[in-house]
Amino acid sequence: MTEAMETSRPTAADPEWPGYRWRWIALFVILAGEVMDLLDALVTNIAAPTMRADLGGTPTMIQWLGAGYTLAMAVGLMTGGRLGDLYGRKQMFLIGALGFTAGSLLCALSQSPEMLVGSRVLQGLFGAVMLPQGLGMIREMFPPKQMGAAFGAFGPVMTLSSIGGPILAGWLIDADFFGTGWRMIFLINLPLGLAAFLGGLKWLPKANPSRATRLDVPGMLIATAAAVLLVYPLVQGRELGWPAWTFVSMAASVALFVFFAWYEVRKQRSGRDPLIEPSLFLKRGFTGGLAVGLVFFSAMTGFSLVFSLYTQIGLHYSPLKAGLSGVPMSIGMIAGFGAAQAVQKFGRKVIHAGVAIMAAGVIGVVVTLQQTGIGVTPWQLAPALIITGLGMGLLMAPFFDTVLAGVEPHETGSAGGTLTAIQQLGAALGVAVLGTIFFGLLGGHVASATDSAAPKLRAELTTAGVPTAQQDAIITGLRTCGHDQAVAKDLSRTPTSCVSARGAVKTAIAAAPQSADRISKATAKAGQDSAKHGFSDAMTITLWVVVGAMVLTFLVTFLLPMHARPEEETTEAEAAEAAVI
């Protein structure tokens, strides 16, 4: 019997079918693809400041590293699964793995911010082709009695990746193997990607395309345009001064999403296959789930980005130390996943509890920053981060199954793909919105922190014998320099204000040469402390925005059904795969 015939046998209808012969080896191949995606979704938060310092670019470059990847993943996932139906899941997995690996190589070879962001977009598109094939292949390879164990393997992979990804990124950057620096975080994908490709070529089942339908290319293009018109101005708007076209673009995005819904309904009524089943949007639980997913994943992803920027740029943690600082949150997520399994009977209340606990954890981070000041350590942040992660895990564990509760069997594929795409779109929006808020606040708060530190600095300069005129010049110079450095579009260039500030310090030293060392140390410390206070203040306000998003999530969650639908093998598998992607 050939492998093609073996995988085409009806698994669900024949409980005695033993399954595809090489199914467990094939599962590891699929998991290799998942690891590449999970690592690359996490590591750039840690590596972004180092990348920007090396390649240059504006603060928006940091946002685009995450937003470009997740946005491409979001729009690609809408069609990735159907491509497997049209042309075969094995073929699409191989193309996706090879393309993702090539994108990783291009990331590692990037010589400009534009090339790096473009390569990240390429990764996201090929990842969207590769990842959705896992569900179909697992259901083809495994008999029903082993299906749960197969999908259960994703849990440890997600856990290890969420903990190990940031640590690995920080370690590789600090180690600087062969002088590669941050580039090594992409180079490690090459052996992993080639192993997934070669392993897939050898071990994945050779099944013929099934349920072949025509691809809704116009629908895909409309949805892609709507998403880009929304995310692009959110990322670029602050840097460009929010010109009128940014608001026009966002308004056009809303109009285009409405047009997309109309187009999909019209396409279905004409007897053709829509990209998304329009009947899904008539279900309150599903539309509520889309709203919850959009807001929650925006808050979660945006929080992770801003926290990494704060620890590295604001607190001057090394990449490795910043990666280790996020471990308590990952540990909390693991505990949340476990706790959610024990309290499933409470249904939607588990999600509400998760939202409330996550909000409490974020507030805990705010309180910690206010109590400890600019000398905060990872150990001091750990308790609040554990609580934050616990809330995330409690929410995420039952989320997909609860949202899919009212979805009909024939709508499940479309529902799962749409829900996962919304998850990725939410991640892109979170990076865009919270990153924009954080960077938008930074310059003003650094300047305000300099004003607050001025009396103490002035007293020290007076004691050092610096004349009042030179004191004024130093304080004004530090204030302007701190602001300009915080909003600098190109880190490779020293702001003119900073050159002037150094000149003011030299003039003061010339006026009081006996106190030269004291003057230098006092001004340097004042500048460093003002920058840290400015970052802390901007971080605090951004965290309150996250708390506001959690309040909105809590309210929207009431739209979800109270309990998940009765568990069935296929439904459970699809929900698990959606959560993984």
Side-chain angles (χ1 to χ4, degrees):
M1 180 181 293
T2 65
E3 289 179 342
M5 293 175 62
E6 186 177 352
T7 55
S8 65
R9 294 180 60 179
T11 60
D14 184 4
E16 299 302 322
W17 181 65
Y20 173 57
R21 180 181 180 185
W22 307 110
R23 59 191 178 280
W24 293 108
I25 298 177
L27 177 62
F28 280 106
V29 173
I30 294 170
L31 290 175
E34 295 288 343
V35 169
M36 286 196 298
D37 167 63
L38 289 167
L39 288 179
D40 274 50
L42 296 168
V43 296
T44 50
N45 282 348
I46 297 297
T50 306
M51 292 174 178
R52 185 190 173 204
D54 181 30
L55 296 179
T58 67
T60 57
M61 176 260 201
I62 293 177
Q63 293 170 261
W64 276 120
L65 287 174
Y69 180 84
T70 53
L71 181 60
M73 181 76 75
V75 298
L77 282 169
M78 294 181 185
T79 56
R82 187 154 293 185
L83 285 172
D85 292 336
L86 282 166
Y87 305 110
R89 296 187 181 95
K90 175 177 178 176
Q91 290 87 331
M92 288 299 102
F93 180 90
L94 295 176
I95 291 172
L98 200 59
F100 193 95
T101 305
S104 298
L105 179 60
L106 289 174
C107 285
L109 297 176
S110 294
Q111 299 299 313
S112 68
E114 294 78 14
M115 181 178 177
L116 181 57
V117 172
S119 301
R120 287 285 288 165
V121 170
L122 191 67
Q123 279 186 309
L125 289 174
F126 278 104
V129 173
M130 173 180 63
L131 296 177
Q133 315 311 327
L135 169 61
M137 285 192 287
I138 289 175
R139 292 178 63 192
E140 289 175 349
M141 295 187 299
F142 286 85
K145 62 182 179 180
Q146 294 181 351
M147 199 77 69
F151 280 107
F154 286 98
V157 169
M158 292 179 67
T159 299
L160 291 174
S161 298
S162 64
I163 294 177
I167 298 174
L168 177 64
W171 175 66
L172 289 173
I173 294 169
D174 284 352
D176 192 22
F177 290 108
F178 311 110
T180 55
W182 59 266
R183 300 176 190 275
M184 186 57 74
I185 68 173
F186 296 111
L187 290 174
I188 60 173
N189 277 340
L190 301 188
L192 191 60
L194 290 175
F197 176 80
L198 295 175
L201 201 62
K202 173 68 175 177
W203 303 112
L204 291 181
K206 298 177 181 177
N208 294 322
S210 61
R211 295 186 292 110
T213 57
R214 295 187 64 183
L215 192 63
D216 183 10
V217 175
M220 178 187 67
L221 294 177
I222 295 170
T224 300
V228 172
L229 286 173
L230 177 61
V231 174
Y232 184 81
L234 286 173
V235 175
Q236 294 293 138
R238 182 193 63 81
E239 180 182 320
L240 299 176
W242 297 107
W245 68 261
T246 58
F247 299 98
V248 173
S249 177
M250 287 185 278
S253 170
V254 175
L256 209 52
F257 274 121
V258 173
F259 175 73
F260 171 72
W262 172 84
Y263 175 83
E264 293 296 285
V265 171
R266 182 171 175 269
K267 192 175 185 70
Q268 185 186 52
R269 288 177 178 174
S270 66
R272 294 174 291 171
D273 295 306
L275 187 64
I276 299 174
E277 292 288 343
S279 57
L280 289 170
F281 298 103
L282 300 177
K283 303 177 187 300
R284 192 190 76 170
F286 183 77
T287 54
L290 295 182
V292 171
L294 191 67
V295 178
F296 168 72
F297 287 107
S298 295
M300 186 181 79
T301 308
F303 172 83
S304 298
L305 171 67
V306 173
F307 179 78
S308 178
L309 295 176
Y310 170 65
T311 54
Q312 290 189 73
I313 304 177
L315 299 178
H316 302 296
Y317 287 4
S318 69
L320 178 58
K321 187 176 180 180
L324 291 170
S325 299
V327 169
M329 189 161 63
S330 297
I331 294 174
M333 288 181 66
I334 297 170
F337 275 112
Q341 302 305 315
V343 294
Q344 281 184 343
K345 63 180 181 179
F346 295 104
R348 189 178 66 194
K349 293 179 181 179
V350 178
I351 298 179
H352 273 131
V355 176
I357 292 172
M358 180 179 171
V362 175
I363 293 173
V365 175
V366 173
V367 173
T368 301
L369 295 181
Q370 292 176 341
Q371 294 295 321
T372 58
I374 59 176
V376 63
T377 67
W379 289 109
Q380 291 169 323
L381 289 167
L385 290 177
I386 290 175
I387 295 173
T388 303
L390 178 65
M392 290 180 181
L394 279 173
L395 188 152
M396 292 173 65
F399 173 71
F400 287 93
D401 202 26
T402 302
V403 173
L404 295 174
V407 173
E408 300 298 327
H410 71 277
E411 299 170 327
T412 304
S414 179
T418 304
L419 194 58
T420 309
I422 286 293
Q423 172 189 345
Q424 297 294 334
L425 179 60
L429 286 174
V431 169
V433 174
L434 290 179
T436 296
I437 291 172
F438 180 74
F439 283 118
L441 293 169
L442 195 53
H445 280 281
V446 171
S448 297
T450 306
D451 292 337
S452 299
K456 180 180 179 181
L457 176 60
R458 190 180 293 276
E460 292 181 0
L461 294 177
T462 299
T463 304
V466 178
T468 302
Q470 273 75 49
Q471 293 179 22
D472 294 339
I474 288 175
I475 292 171
T476 301
L478 286 179
R479 186 184 195 281
T480 309
C481 174
H483 173 275
D484 292 350
Q485 279 187 323
V487 300
K489 295 182 178 180
D490 188 350
L491 290 181
S492 63
R493 297 182 180 180
T494 300
T496 303
S497 57
C498 294
V499 177
S500 300
R502 293 170 187 169
V505 173
K506 291 180 180 178
T507 302
I509 291 175
Q514 72 281 1
S515 303
D517 186 59
R518 187 174 181 179
I519 294 170
S520 296
K521 289 182 178 179
T523 53
K525 187 175 187 304
Q528 292 170 1
D529 288 353
S530 296
K532 288 183 177 181
H533 280 294
F535 268 89
S536 182
D537 293 341
M539 178 70 173
T540 298
I541 295 175
T542 306
L543 290 178
W544 282 117
V545 175
V546 175
V547 173
M550 291 296 96
V551 173
L552 179 59
T553 303
F554 187 91
L555 296 175
V556 178
T557 300
F558 282 104
L559 295 174
L560 299 180
M562 181 57 71
H563 295 282
R565 56 184 164 182
E567 295 185 0
E568 301 172 359
E569 289 288 345
T570 55
T571 299
E572 186 177 334
E574 286 159 351
E577 175 71 6
V580 167
I581 298 174

